[in-house]
Amino acid sequence: MAVYLGFDASTQSLTAIAIEVGAARRQVIYQRTVDFDRDLPHYGTRHGALRGDDPLVVTAPPMMWAEALDLMLALVARDGAFDVSKLAAVSGSAQQHGSVYLGVSAAKILAALDPARPLVDQLRGVFSRKGAPIWMDSSTSRQCAAIARAVGGGHVLLRLTGSRAFERFTGPQIRKFYEDDPEGYAGTDRIHLVSSFMASLLAGRHAPIEPGDGAGMNLMDIARRQWALAALRATAPGLELKLPPIVESPTIVGRLAPYWVRRRRLPPAKVVAWTGDNPGSLVGVGLVEPGRIAISLGTSDTVFGPLGELQVDPSGAGHVFGSPAGGYMSLVCFKNGSLAREKVRDEYRLNWDGFSRALRDTPPGNRGAIVLPWFEPEITPPVLGSGVRRYGLDPADGPANVRAIVEAQMLAMAIHSQWTGVRVATIHATGGAAVNRDILQVMADVHGADVSPLEVGNAAALGAALRAYHADLMSEGRPARWPEVVEGFVKVRADGTVRPVPSHVALYNDMKSVYAACEAHALRHGPDPAPMIEAFRRRAAG
Ligand code: XUL
């Protein structure tokens, strides 16, 4: 019997899941979350992030992630929920795109961490940039344009890296740092993703980058899974010397550092390269083979699935990442996810039961009332000037506003993921809001697909534990077929699959073009959609 530990270093929290794998037993045996705002309030984050005067700039303190890891492993050791001596390997999934900047002293400090002192006391001098820009940042439009120009156009970058230039992607963020603080950039020895930074802390040495997460940088050649020199040169000088190497996903990057072994009495378990939260979730929802998709309802809402072959989104809205299970995955990301749902819930003084009741009390199609839920600058479609737009929706009507937000999120997901060409029959639902069956009903009706909520809600952490297990088997030369690795861990929740209602599916198929017209109008490349909305309203009523 062996135990594997998986982490999810997400925007708002750090979660750990342990799984036990034996001849007769395969199960999740431990789950624990450290919430950044609640458990580490001295960093002053709100929803895990820091914001200043410029609404486009969003960062997080990398020290907070280090302290969360230290605290989490203290809890794992203290809880005594499982026999830690059986721990064979650990891995993780982290929020994507965020970057951590370390000076030359980092390598030495990481290698000589003193188990008698807290991690944060020893890391004080290692950062060459205090804050880490995270995926919610959208302040690099200028840098995106410059990088695209330098490689020969946005479509060249799209084909080379799997994505056009995106504000939150690491390359544009690095270029901005280089432009704003050339000395800080020059004093940076290593630039990590959040994923490789966390793996470095566990292994006590600079960890490499995994291609699933590396694809979220606008810097990796997506077909070769190696740094794309043209993109590196277009980003900042000498960048090739500052980036960790890219390795295959199931790579053992080291063993748990003596710091963890002595401080928490853990065995020197293998540390497996960390990936991003979306690639990690792909494994955690069991989508290791093409044909199905997943929707994660978290801080960001994401739609993702395995891709049979390398293809990019010609509209430039979607991304192609490496899949940790081999091959590629598609991803479409929406920034106005759970925080938008919470805003509406709070604005109308509801709790989640009230939110659900509002969904049940309003008709599908919302009598033609539509909202564009851009509380924050949006990623898909790209919207830099935030602001909610209402079409035929009375701001005073709480229930209609609740339905409008959920319908908008689901319609946008369906519209902007069409490029993958997947005919969706089943959606695996994960993330916090997947507990809400009324939200899942709208998802099923809009997509015309069965929605299976999964037993383990945190797919990113489960995926990390499963990747640790898979890499451990591989490193021992044992057969490690993915369907067998995930077998028994990815189960549909006891309350069962949510089925689409055929009449609602037809109505939403009709509504998609109305919603798309509202988007186009709000983005100033389409006419006033009022006549279309009115015609839809009449069809829906009749
Ligand atoms: C994906 C993205 C987010 C983050 C945070 O491209 O930006 O989903 O990974 O979860």
Side-chain angles (χ1 to χ4, degrees), residues 253-277:
V253 305
R255 297 266 176 177
L256 276 183
Y259 176 82
W260 306 106
V261 170
R262 297 214 198 100
R263 189 169 169 84
R264 302 297 168 211
R265 297 188 200 295
L266 298 172
K270 294 167 186 161
V271 178
V272 176
W274 282 43
T275 187
D277 52 3

PDB file of all heavy atoms in Angstrom, residues 253-277:
ATOM      1  N   VAL A 253      11.332  15.414  -9.904  1.00  0.00           N
ATOM      2  CA  VAL A 253      12.269  16.544  -9.879  1.00  0.00           C
ATOM      3  C   VAL A 253      13.190  16.491  -8.668  1.00  0.00           C
ATOM      4  O   VAL A 253      14.116  17.292  -8.557  1.00  0.00           O
ATOM      5  CB  VAL A 253      11.534  17.905  -9.928  1.00  0.00           C
ATOM      6  CG1 VAL A 253      10.621  17.974 -11.130  1.00  0.00           C
ATOM      7  CG2 VAL A 253      10.747  18.180  -8.658  1.00  0.00           C
ATOM      8  N   GLY A 254      12.958  15.557  -7.778  1.00  0.00           N
ATOM      9  CA  GLY A 254      13.817  15.419  -6.597  1.00  0.00           C
ATOM     10  C   GLY A 254      13.072  14.655  -5.527  1.00  0.00           C
ATOM     11  O   GLY A 254      12.081  13.967  -5.825  1.00  0.00           O
ATOM     12  N   ARG A 255      13.581  14.775  -4.308  1.00  0.00           N
ATOM     13  CA  ARG A 255      12.922  14.154  -3.141  1.00  0.00           C
ATOM     14  C   ARG A 255      12.519  15.270  -2.189  1.00  0.00           C
ATOM     15  O   ARG A 255      13.099  16.353  -2.248  1.00  0.00           O
ATOM     16  CB  ARG A 255      13.928  13.238  -2.423  1.00  0.00           C
ATOM     17  CG  ARG A 255      14.402  12.081  -3.273  1.00  0.00           C
ATOM     18  CD  ARG A 255      13.548  10.904  -2.980  1.00  0.00           C
ATOM     19  NE  ARG A 255      13.860   9.757  -3.816  1.00  0.00           N
ATOM     20  CZ  ARG A 255      13.249   8.594  -3.674  1.00  0.00           C
ATOM     21  NH1 ARG A 255      12.323   8.415  -2.758  1.00  0.00           N
ATOM     22  NH2 ARG A 255      13.545   7.593  -4.456  1.00  0.00           N
ATOM     23  N   LEU A 256      11.577  15.006  -1.311  1.00  0.00           N
ATOM     24  CA  LEU A 256      11.219  16.020  -0.307  1.00  0.00           C
ATOM     25  C   LEU A 256      12.500  16.455   0.391  1.00  0.00           C
ATOM     26  O   LEU A 256      13.287  15.610   0.867  1.00  0.00           O
ATOM     27  CB  LEU A 256      10.262  15.440   0.723  1.00  0.00           C
ATOM     28  CG  LEU A 256       8.768  15.423   0.394  1.00  0.00           C
ATOM     29  CD1 LEU A 256       7.978  14.872   1.582  1.00  0.00           C
ATOM     30  CD2 LEU A 256       8.246  16.806   0.001  1.00  0.00           C
ATOM     31  N   ALA A 257      12.734  17.769   0.466  1.00  0.00           N
ATOM     32  CA  ALA A 257      13.984  18.296   1.020  1.00  0.00           C
ATOM     33  C   ALA A 257      14.117  17.926   2.497  1.00  0.00           C
ATOM     34  O   ALA A 257      13.101  17.721   3.175  1.00  0.00           O
ATOM     35  CB  ALA A 257      13.989  19.802   0.856  1.00  0.00           C
ATOM     36  N   PRO A 258      15.366  17.874   2.980  1.00  0.00           N
ATOM     37  CA  PRO A 258      15.582  17.562   4.399  1.00  0.00           C
ATOM     38  C   PRO A 258      14.756  18.467   5.319  1.00  0.00           C
ATOM     39  O   PRO A 258      14.352  18.041   6.399  1.00  0.00           O
ATOM     40  CB  PRO A 258      17.086  17.810   4.584  1.00  0.00           C
ATOM     41  CG  PRO A 258      17.674  17.633   3.220  1.00  0.00           C
ATOM     42  CD  PRO A 258      16.622  18.033   2.240  1.00  0.00           C
ATOM     43  N   TYR A 259      14.501  19.698   4.871  1.00  0.00           N
ATOM     44  CA  TYR A 259      13.667  20.608   5.669  1.00  0.00           C
ATOM     45  C   TYR A 259      12.349  19.945   6.060  1.00  0.00           C
ATOM     46  O   TYR A 259      11.950  19.946   7.219  1.00  0.00           O
ATOM     47  CB  TYR A 259      13.403  21.882   4.858  1.00  0.00           C
ATOM     48  CG  TYR A 259      12.475  22.861   5.535  1.00  0.00           C
ATOM     49  CD1 TYR A 259      12.951  23.743   6.495  1.00  0.00           C
ATOM     50  CD2 TYR A 259      11.109  22.903   5.223  1.00  0.00           C
ATOM     51  CE1 TYR A 259      12.099  24.652   7.127  1.00  0.00           C
ATOM     52  CE2 TYR A 259      10.253  23.798   5.845  1.00  0.00           C
ATOM     53  CZ  TYR A 259      10.745  24.671   6.795  1.00  0.00           C
ATOM     54  OH  TYR A 259       9.894  25.551   7.422  1.00  0.00           O
ATOM     55  N   TRP A 260      11.664  19.344   5.087  1.00  0.00           N
ATOM     56  CA  TRP A 260      10.348  18.737   5.339  1.00  0.00           C
ATOM     57  C   TRP A 260      10.490  17.406   6.073  1.00  0.00           C
ATOM     58  O   TRP A 260       9.689  17.074   6.950  1.00  0.00           O
ATOM     59  CB  TRP A 260       9.597  18.507   4.023  1.00  0.00           C
ATOM     60  CG  TRP A 260       9.475  19.746   3.201  1.00  0.00           C
ATOM     61  CD1 TRP A 260      10.170  20.045   2.058  1.00  0.00           C
ATOM     62  CD2 TRP A 260       8.644  20.880   3.465  1.00  0.00           C
ATOM     63  NE1 TRP A 260       9.812  21.285   1.593  1.00  0.00           N
ATOM     64  CE2 TRP A 260       8.878  21.830   2.438  1.00  0.00           C
ATOM     65  CE3 TRP A 260       7.726  21.194   4.474  1.00  0.00           C
ATOM     66  CZ2 TRP A 260       8.216  23.050   2.393  1.00  0.00           C
ATOM     67  CZ3 TRP A 260       7.058  22.416   4.419  1.00  0.00           C
ATOM     68  CH2 TRP A 260       7.320  23.327   3.391  1.00  0.00           C
ATOM     69  N   VAL A 261      11.544  16.670   5.700  1.00  0.00           N
ATOM     70  CA  VAL A 261      11.751  15.345   6.279  1.00  0.00           C
ATOM     71  C   VAL A 261      12.003  15.475   7.791  1.00  0.00           C
ATOM     72  O   VAL A 261      11.389  14.769   8.600  1.00  0.00           O
ATOM     73  CB  VAL A 261      12.941  14.639   5.569  1.00  0.00           C
ATOM     74  CG1 VAL A 261      13.343  13.362   6.286  1.00  0.00           C
ATOM     75  CG2 VAL A 261      12.565  14.366   4.106  1.00  0.00           C
ATOM     76  N   ARG A 262      12.860  16.441   8.161  1.00  0.00           N
ATOM     77  CA  ARG A 262      13.192  16.580   9.589  1.00  0.00           C
ATOM     78  C   ARG A 262      12.115  17.370  10.329  1.00  0.00           C
ATOM     79  O   ARG A 262      11.755  17.040  11.445  1.00  0.00           O
ATOM     80  CB  ARG A 262      14.530  17.281   9.747  1.00  0.00           C
ATOM     81  CG  ARG A 262      15.634  16.458   9.129  1.00  0.00           C
ATOM     82  CD  ARG A 262      16.932  16.589   9.892  1.00  0.00           C
ATOM     83  NE  ARG A 262      17.992  16.140   8.988  1.00  0.00           N
ATOM     84  CZ  ARG A 262      18.758  16.964   8.298  1.00  0.00           C
ATOM     85  NH1 ARG A 262      18.669  18.263   8.466  1.00  0.00           N
ATOM     86  NH2 ARG A 262      19.659  16.484   7.470  1.00  0.00           N
ATOM     87  N   ARG A 263      11.621  18.427   9.688  1.00  0.00           N
ATOM     88  CA  ARG A 263      10.662  19.303  10.385  1.00  0.00           C
ATOM     89  C   ARG A 263       9.333  18.600  10.621  1.00  0.00           C
ATOM     90  O   ARG A 263       8.703  18.788  11.648  1.00  0.00           O
ATOM     91  CB  ARG A 263      10.447  20.561   9.533  1.00  0.00           C
ATOM     92  CG  ARG A 263       9.655  21.673  10.201  1.00  0.00           C
ATOM     93  CD  ARG A 263       9.751  22.939   9.344  1.00  0.00           C
ATOM     94  NE  ARG A 263       8.853  23.988   9.735  1.00  0.00           N
ATOM     95  CZ  ARG A 263       9.085  24.881  10.701  1.00  0.00           C
ATOM     96  NH1 ARG A 263      10.193  24.792  11.403  1.00  0.00           N
ATOM     97  NH2 ARG A 263       8.217  25.835  10.987  1.00  0.00           N
ATOM     98  N   ARG A 264       8.897  17.791   9.642  1.00  0.00           N
ATOM     99  CA  ARG A 264       7.562  17.167   9.755  1.00  0.00           C
ATOM    100  C   ARG A 264       7.623  15.650   9.834  1.00  0.00           C
ATOM    101  O   ARG A 264       6.593  14.984   9.715  1.00  0.00           O
ATOM    102  CB  ARG A 264       6.696  17.588   8.542  1.00  0.00           C
ATOM    103  CG  ARG A 264       6.514  19.063   8.387  1.00  0.00           C
ATOM    104  CD  ARG A 264       5.772  19.683   9.555  1.00  0.00           C
ATOM    105  NE  ARG A 264       5.848  21.133   9.516  1.00  0.00           N
ATOM    106  CZ  ARG A 264       5.843  21.907  10.594  1.00  0.00           C
ATOM    107  NH1 ARG A 264       5.784  21.377  11.801  1.00  0.00           N
ATOM    108  NH2 ARG A 264       5.914  23.215  10.478  1.00  0.00           N
ATOM    109  N   ARG A 265       8.830  15.110   9.979  1.00  0.00           N
ATOM    110  CA  ARG A 265       9.033  13.640  10.067  1.00  0.00           C
ATOM    111  C   ARG A 265       8.352  12.919   8.906  1.00  0.00           C
ATOM    112  O   ARG A 265       7.597  11.965   9.076  1.00  0.00           O
ATOM    113  CB  ARG A 265       8.509  13.087  11.386  1.00  0.00           C
ATOM    114  CG  ARG A 265       9.241  13.649  12.571  1.00  0.00           C
ATOM    115  CD  ARG A 265       8.845  12.965  13.860  1.00  0.00           C
ATOM    116  NE  ARG A 265       9.186  13.793  14.995  1.00  0.00           N
ATOM    117  CZ  ARG A 265      10.429  14.131  15.355  1.00  0.00           C
ATOM    118  NH1 ARG A 265      11.465  13.684  14.674  1.00  0.00           N
ATOM    119  NH2 ARG A 265      10.646  14.903  16.391  1.00  0.00           N
ATOM    120  N   LEU A 266       8.607  13.442   7.714  1.00  0.00           N
ATOM    121  CA  LEU A 266       8.073  12.797   6.510  1.00  0.00           C
ATOM    122  C   LEU A 266       9.181  11.975   5.872  1.00  0.00           C
ATOM    123  O   LEU A 266      10.366  12.272   6.048  1.00  0.00           O
ATOM    124  CB  LEU A 266       7.595  13.864   5.510  1.00  0.00           C
ATOM    125  CG  LEU A 266       6.457  14.767   5.976  1.00  0.00           C
ATOM    126  CD1 LEU A 266       6.218  15.892   4.968  1.00  0.00           C
ATOM    127  CD2 LEU A 266       5.178  13.969   6.172  1.00  0.00           C
ATOM    128  N   PRO A 267       8.829  10.940   5.103  1.00  0.00           N
ATOM    129  CA  PRO A 267       9.868  10.201   4.380  1.00  0.00           C
ATOM    130  C   PRO A 267      10.363  11.035   3.194  1.00  0.00           C
ATOM    131  O   PRO A 267       9.670  11.956   2.768  1.00  0.00           O
ATOM    132  CB  PRO A 267       9.133   8.948   3.887  1.00  0.00           C
ATOM    133  CG  PRO A 267       7.696   9.355   3.813  1.00  0.00           C
ATOM    134  CD  PRO A 267       7.481  10.420   4.855  1.00  0.00           C
ATOM    135  N   PRO A 268      11.548  10.722   2.653  1.00  0.00           N
ATOM    136  CA  PRO A 268      12.038  11.493   1.496  1.00  0.00           C
ATOM    137  C   PRO A 268      11.294  11.085   0.217  1.00  0.00           C
ATOM    138  O   PRO A 268      11.861  10.537  -0.722  1.00  0.00           O
ATOM    139  CB  PRO A 268      13.521  11.124   1.428  1.00  0.00           C
ATOM    140  CG  PRO A 268      13.608   9.779   2.091  1.00  0.00           C
ATOM    141  CD  PRO A 268      12.501   9.681   3.091  1.00  0.00           C
ATOM    142  N   ALA A 269       9.990  11.390   0.193  1.00  0.00           N
ATOM    143  CA  ALA A 269       9.125  10.968  -0.933  1.00  0.00           C
ATOM    144  C   ALA A 269       9.550  11.682  -2.210  1.00  0.00           C
ATOM    145  O   ALA A 269      10.154  12.757  -2.175  1.00  0.00           O
ATOM    146  CB  ALA A 269       7.677  11.331  -0.601  1.00  0.00           C
ATOM    147  N   LYS A 270       9.206  11.057  -3.355  1.00  0.00           N
ATOM    148  CA  LYS A 270       9.525  11.674  -4.647  1.00  0.00           C
ATOM    149  C   LYS A 270       8.678  12.936  -4.847  1.00  0.00           C
ATOM    150  O   LYS A 270       7.484  12.936  -4.516  1.00  0.00           O
ATOM    151  CB  LYS A 270       9.217  10.702  -5.789  1.00  0.00           C
ATOM    152  CG  LYS A 270      10.120   9.474  -5.773  1.00  0.00           C
ATOM    153  CD  LYS A 270       9.601   8.392  -6.684  1.00  0.00           C
ATOM    154  CE  LYS A 270      10.461   7.148  -6.515  1.00  0.00           C
ATOM    155  NZ  LYS A 270       9.821   5.932  -6.990  1.00  0.00           N
ATOM    156  N   VAL A 271       9.296  13.971  -5.401  1.00  0.00           N
ATOM    157  CA  VAL A 271       8.549  15.173  -5.773  1.00  0.00           C
ATOM    158  C   VAL A 271       8.401  15.148  -7.293  1.00  0.00           C
ATOM    159  O   VAL A 271       9.401  15.124  -8.018  1.00  0.00           O
ATOM    160  CB  VAL A 271       9.284  16.462  -5.330  1.00  0.00           C
ATOM    161  CG1 VAL A 271       8.500  17.699  -5.786  1.00  0.00           C
ATOM    162  CG2 VAL A 271       9.498  16.469  -3.816  1.00  0.00           C
ATOM    163  N   VAL A 272       7.161  15.120  -7.758  1.00  0.00           N
ATOM    164  CA  VAL A 272       6.872  15.054  -9.192  1.00  0.00           C
ATOM    165  C   VAL A 272       6.575  16.480  -9.685  1.00  0.00           C
ATOM    166  O   VAL A 272       5.938  17.257  -8.962  1.00  0.00           O
ATOM    167  CB  VAL A 272       5.651  14.131  -9.434  1.00  0.00           C
ATOM    168  CG1 VAL A 272       5.253  14.121 -10.907  1.00  0.00           C
ATOM    169  CG2 VAL A 272       5.958  12.736  -8.932  1.00  0.00           C
ATOM    170  N   ALA A 273       7.057  16.804 -10.892  1.00  0.00           N
ATOM    171  CA  ALA A 273       6.844  18.144 -11.456  1.00  0.00           C
ATOM    172  C   ALA A 273       5.390  18.565 -11.275  1.00  0.00           C
ATOM    173  O   ALA A 273       4.469  17.778 -11.538  1.00  0.00           O
ATOM    174  CB  ALA A 273       7.209  18.145 -12.941  1.00  0.00           C
ATOM    175  N   TRP A 274       5.180  19.806 -10.822  1.00  0.00           N
ATOM    176  CA  TRP A 274       3.818  20.339 -10.684  1.00  0.00           C
ATOM    177  C   TRP A 274       3.326  20.842 -12.040  1.00  0.00           C
ATOM    178  O   TRP A 274       4.120  21.257 -12.882  1.00  0.00           O
ATOM    179  CB  TRP A 274       3.806  21.523  -9.709  1.00  0.00           C
ATOM    180  CG  TRP A 274       3.853  21.185  -8.263  1.00  0.00           C
ATOM    181  CD1 TRP A 274       4.633  20.250  -7.650  1.00  0.00           C
ATOM    182  CD2 TRP A 274       3.111  21.819  -7.207  1.00  0.00           C
ATOM    183  NE1 TRP A 274       4.424  20.260  -6.295  1.00  0.00           N
ATOM    184  CE2 TRP A 274       3.494  21.223  -6.003  1.00  0.00           C
ATOM    185  CE3 TRP A 274       2.172  22.857  -7.167  1.00  0.00           C
ATOM    186  CZ2 TRP A 274       2.962  21.615  -4.767  1.00  0.00           C
ATOM    187  CZ3 TRP A 274       1.640  23.251  -5.944  1.00  0.00           C
ATOM    188  CH2 TRP A 274       2.028  22.627  -4.753  1.00  0.00           C
ATOM    189  N   THR A 275       1.995  20.815 -12.212  1.00  0.00           N
ATOM    190  CA  THR A 275       1.401  21.374 -13.424  1.00  0.00           C
ATOM    191  C   THR A 275       0.450  22.519 -13.064  1.00  0.00           C
ATOM    192  O   THR A 275       0.397  22.949 -11.903  1.00  0.00           O
ATOM    193  CB  THR A 275       0.678  20.281 -14.237  1.00  0.00           C
ATOM    194  OG1 THR A 275       0.250  20.838 -15.493  1.00  0.00           O
ATOM    195  CG2 THR A 275      -0.540  19.736 -13.511  1.00  0.00           C
ATOM    196  N   GLY A 276      -0.300  23.016 -14.050  1.00  0.00           N
ATOM    197  CA  GLY A 276      -1.286  24.072 -13.794  1.00  0.00           C
ATOM    198  C   GLY A 276      -2.591  23.475 -13.289  1.00  0.00           C
ATOM    199  O   GLY A 276      -2.838  22.271 -13.425  1.00  0.00           O
ATOM    200  N   ASP A 277      -3.453  24.331 -12.720  1.00  0.00           N
ATOM    201  CA  ASP A 277      -4.684  23.773 -12.134  1.00  0.00           C
ATOM    202  C   ASP A 277      -5.619  23.178 -13.194  1.00  0.00           C
ATOM    203  O   ASP A 277      -6.287  22.166 -12.939  1.00  0.00           O
ATOM    204  CB  ASP A 277      -5.413  24.784 -11.238  1.00  0.00           C
ATOM    205  CG  ASP A 277      -5.677  26.129 -11.890  1.00  0.00           C
ATOM    206  OD1 ASP A 277      -5.352  26.310 -13.080  1.00  0.00           O
ATOM    207  OD2 ASP A 277      -6.232  27.008 -11.197  1.00  0.00           O
TER     208      ASP A 277
END
